[in-house]
Amino acid sequence: MRYEFGCLGAVLLLALASPARAQVTIPQEYDKVIQPRGAIAAFGNEGFGDKIDMNSGALEIVHTDVDLPGNNALPVRVARRFITGDRFASGLFGIFDLDVPYAHGVFGNHLNNPKGWTVSAALAADVYKRCSQYGAPLTLWFQNGEFQPDEYWHGNFLHVPGAGDDEMLGVSTLGAHVPSDGNTYTVVTKNGAAMRCVPLAATSQAGSQGEGFEVVFPDGTVYTLNQMVSRINEQIAKPIDQYALRAGSGRKGIVVTPMAATTFTLPRVEVRLYPTKATDRFGNTVTYTWSATNPEQLLQITASDGRQLTFGYTAGAVSSVTDGTHTWTFTNTATTYTVTNPDGGQWIYTLGDLFSLKMSTTSGCGGQAYFGTPPVLTGTVQAPTGALATFTMQPIRLGRSWVGQSCVYYGSEPLYDIEPVNFYTLAMLTKKITGPGLPTTGLSWTYVHGPENACSSDCTASSPISRMVSVTNPDGEVTRYTFGNMLMTNEGQLLKVESGWNGTTALRTVDTTYAAWNAAPYSNFYGGSPRGRGDYVTSNYPFPKRKEVTTQQGRTFTWEVATGCSGVPYCFDTFARPTKVVKSSSP
């Protein structure tokens, strides 16, 4: 496949005034195309709030500072979330974000798109109907260059604490499952949330307009996400086609003199819709009160049962949280982030090197390479007990299999692969814990990724469709995890776990087989992704577990979904839940 763009119209759009921004190319964001993004596929050893995705090696740190118990399950909680990689803007807690449910996406930001989250609509008045006319954003023209949605935007996501990011999908005519309560639902997620439309909160960022979302979760809890804020994000850059620049009368008489510029760049923002209210199925509520003058500042979390947390700020970041009796304080310096508990105990974080890494990779088509040697980076977390966790990470290249080779060109200039055959991600190398009561050398975990196993036009019937990562524990035990990497088939699925691997065999092996995504009766369970790039099949459809075989000490234990149910290949219901399971063992 070959896409081509020519020289564009004569009208140049001017950017909104903004600070100087970093810029990235489209290939440098290949990792954002790969799904699941931000979801933890399989947890590793945890102890300092850290969660390690065994598939990609990504690190996430989530720490709950205060969680007030009440007479219902709605949380009145302050939890902070840190994710590694190419972070650009600071969060409510400096390098940490407030870990609450919210919807988000990265959008273009210029004169014709000043508040980011738009949809491509037939009428200009409808571009902010982001809920009722849910879809991809507009194609944008800037600096005489064209930016298609899939070049600057990677989808919209619902972040749920503890579950990562779930892509927001448009309800299709095929019939996604939504509540039958008389409301109109336009958006769903793979994990069963359904969304209806509400107006934006009056305390949203100045100039915000259009709709927010009311999210109904499977347990009946409803979150109103309509506090809109935006943060400056990296500009996206594309190379200028020199042939087009030299064109004269053959291009409507337009002659563009490149001067010193060699790229088109598009300013971008990350748009977030934070909660203003949560309601459970019994009518209990939690209200989130936001500042009218500083829309990203949360002032209070208040429950209908009397629980309440109040936030204080210094220089735009949270500096204190109090429940009326106890106070937690937060201090941010150039090198460390410190949380002081009411009893005086402190959590000390030194994570700056893991916060703002920009991948230095090649552009063009046919695969990526790293400029120079990928850096080795470290970050630390110190607990109140004095124990210290040190995380060592490095950009590594991961591969995908059976990826069709399709390049986008601008005139004669190759820009990027529509579906990357490989991509770079910041991955865990080692985790080490030292401190009181531990061995002098500490406790260490080592993570090693196996071969990329990438292929595109060179794929054959014998090409691998998975890749593996091994983890060595402090006692020397090795566990191997095998994940699928075949586009539109098994990408991201955990296929095998081998515990006690000695180089030849394992003490325990668990093999998992998944049912096809388009099998009856659940094939229409989800909506459709508005993205044109990425493995949208893994976001749109379920891959329910069909069979699990555990081999240990010479015996085999099998769990599998039965066959023979009327009208379906396996005994699943319309929600992809098994209705009949067979368990067996041998010998």
Side-chain angles (χ1 to χ4, degrees):
M1 182 181 297
R2 176 186 173 106
Y3 291 174
E4 296 190 8
F5 307 126
C7 190
L8 309 173
V11 178
L12 299 180
L13 297 177
L14 299 178
L16 292 176
S18 61
R21 278 163 277 190
Q23 68 181 37
V24 293
T25 63
I26 295 168
Q28 285 177 305
E29 295 195 323
Y30 277 160
D31 64 308
K32 294 180 173 60
V33 176
I34 314 304
Q35 302 298 317
R37 186 176 72 90
I40 302 299
F43 290 143
N45 181 274
E46 302 173 20
F48 289 75
D50 54 300
K51 296 176 172 60
I52 299 169
D53 180 3
M54 296 302 172
N55 183 20
S56 68
L59 170 67
E60 174 180 314
I61 297 174
V62 178
H63 191 104
T64 299
D65 297 303
V66 52
D67 190 356
L68 301 182
N71 60 16
N72 61 75
L74 289 176
V76 176
R77 174 191 304 145
V78 172
R80 295 169 288 107
R81 177 175 178 244
F82 172 86
I83 57 175
T84 59
D86 58 346
R87 301 291 306 282
F88 187 73
S90 296
L92 215 59
F93 293 85
I95 60 174
F96 288 87
D97 269 317
L98 179 67
D99 197 27
V100 294
Y102 63 89
H104 65 108
V106 173
F107 297 85
N109 179 42
H110 70 58
L111 188 65
N112 282 9
N113 202 50
K115 288 301 168 190
W117 193 322
T118 58
V119 293
S120 183
L123 299 177
D126 292 339
V127 297
Y128 294 109
K129 292 183 178 179
R130 59 188 63 89
C131 175
S132 58
Q133 296 190 27
Y134 183 76
L138 304 162
T139 296
L140 299 177
W141 311 82
F142 189 69
Q143 292 184 342
N144 216 36
E146 178 188 86
F147 292 86
Q148 295 189 3
D150 285 322
E151 295 179 321
Y152 67 85
W153 165 84
H154 307 101
N156 304 321
F157 297 85
L158 174 66
H159 174 73
V160 179
D165 284 1
D166 207 3
E167 186 174 4
M168 297 167 62
L169 311 169
V171 171
S172 68
T173 56
L174 296 176
H177 289 312
V178 297
S180 55
D181 58 4
N183 290 296
T184 299
Y185 292 86
T186 58
V187 181
V188 292
T189 70
K190 185 173 180 177
N191 286 329
M195 305 185 198
R196 57 201 185 208
C197 308
V198 294
L200 291 181
T203 49
S204 292
Q205 193 171 43
S208 299
Q209 54 186 302
E211 301 164 338
F213 300 91
E214 200 159 60
V215 185
V216 181
F217 289 96
D219 66 356
T221 302
V222 178
Y223 272 83
T224 303
L225 306 182
N226 63 346
Q227 175 72 12
M228 177 172 277
V229 299
S230 63
R231 303 173 176 179
I232 293 175
N233 201 269
E234 292 103 335
Q235 297 181 111
I236 194 75
K238 294 169 64 173
I240 292 175
D241 176 42
Q242 298 303 315
Y243 174 79
L245 290 173
R246 292 192 298 270
S249 59
R251 304 264 180 151
K252 298 183 181 180
I254 301 168
V255 178
V256 180
T257 304
M259 305 298 285
T262 58
T263 59
F264 299 129
T265 59
L266 177 70
R268 294 186 301 174
V269 291
E270 182 192 13
V271 181
R272 294 189 175 191
L273 285 162
Y274 282 121
T276 57
K277 189 176 182 180
T279 307
D280 69 12
R281 60 194 179 96
F282 304 108
N284 300 299
T285 63
V286 168
T287 301
Y288 297 79
T289 302
W290 301 85
S291 169
T293 54
N294 296 288
E296 199 173 357
Q297 292 187 3
L298 179 62
L299 302 181
Q300 283 186 332
I301 303 176
T302 306
S304 55
D305 61 7
R307 291 173 291 164
Q308 182 170 285
L309 293 172
T310 301
F311 295 73
Y313 290 84
T314 300
V318 174
S319 56
S320 66
V321 173
T322 179
D323 63 0
T325 303
H326 310 90
T327 299
W328 292 257
T329 60
F330 307 84
T331 306
N332 194 18
T333 70
T335 57
T336 60
Y337 188 84
T338 303
V339 180
T340 304
N341 296 329
D343 63 1
Q346 290 187 325
W347 287 89
I348 302 173
Y349 303 86
T350 305
L351 299 169
D353 286 349
L354 306 180
F355 175 78
S356 57
L357 172 70
K358 302 296 183 290
M359 298 290 182
S360 180
T361 58
T362 59
S363 300
C365 297
Q368 279 191 298
Y370 210 91
F371 286 120
T373 302
V376 176
L377 306 171
T378 61
T380 64
V381 178
Q382 182 174 313
T385 60
L388 181 74
T390 301
F391 305 98
T392 304
M393 306 185 74
Q394 185 176 37
I396 65 169
R397 192 169 75 169
L398 301 179
R400 309 169 79 195
S401 64
W402 291 89
V403 179
Q405 192 68 53
S406 301
C407 184
V408 172
Y409 285 79
Y410 191 91
S412 60
E413 183 80 18
L415 292 187
Y416 60 90
D417 289 311
I418 293 176
E419 286 297 334
V421 68
N422 51 53
F423 63 99
Y424 278 87
T425 181
L426 187 61
M428 186 67 63
L429 297 181
T430 62
K431 170 187 172 180
K432 184 175 183 179
I433 301 176
T434 56
L438 297 176
T440 303
T441 56
L443 302 175
S444 295
W445 290 258
T446 303
Y447 303 79
V448 178
H449 286 264
E452 295 177 25
N453 291 343
C455 67
S456 54
S457 57
D458 57 341
C459 293
T460 66
S462 60
S463 295
I465 58 172
S466 64
R467 46 185 166 79
M468 182 270 297
V469 60
S470 65
V471 182
T472 303
N473 293 336
D475 61 3
E477 181 183 3
V478 177
T479 303
R480 306 202 313 174
Y481 300 85
T482 299
F483 292 89
N485 74 338
M486 186 176 182
L487 186 70
M488 305 293 182
T489 302
N490 68 2
E491 190 166 24
Q493 292 177 357
L494 179 60
L495 305 178
K496 182 187 293 187
V497 179
E498 299 165 285
S499 304
W501 179 257
N502 64 8
T504 305
T505 59
L507 295 177
R508 173 186 170 92
T509 299
V510 180
D511 285 284
T512 303
T513 303
Y514 300 88
W517 61 271
N518 55 355
Y522 56 77
S523 59
N524 297 337
F525 180 60
Y526 301 113
S529 170
R531 292 182 294 118
R533 297 172 63 209
D535 193 343
Y536 51 82
V537 167
T538 62
S539 289
N540 290 24
Y541 297 98
F543 287 82
K545 182 171 68 174
R546 180 177 67 79
K547 186 176 182 179
E548 185 175 272
V549 178
T550 302
T551 304
Q552 182 174 336
Q553 295 175 315
R555 295 185 64 85
T556 299
F557 305 88
T558 301
W559 177 102
E560 59 185 325
V561 178
T563 59
C565 292
S566 178
V568 295
Y570 294 95
C571 297
F572 290 103
D573 65 11
T574 58
F575 292 92
R577 300 173 300 191
T579 58
K580 185 178 181 181
V581 170
V582 177
K583 298 179 181 180
S584 61
S585 65
S586 65

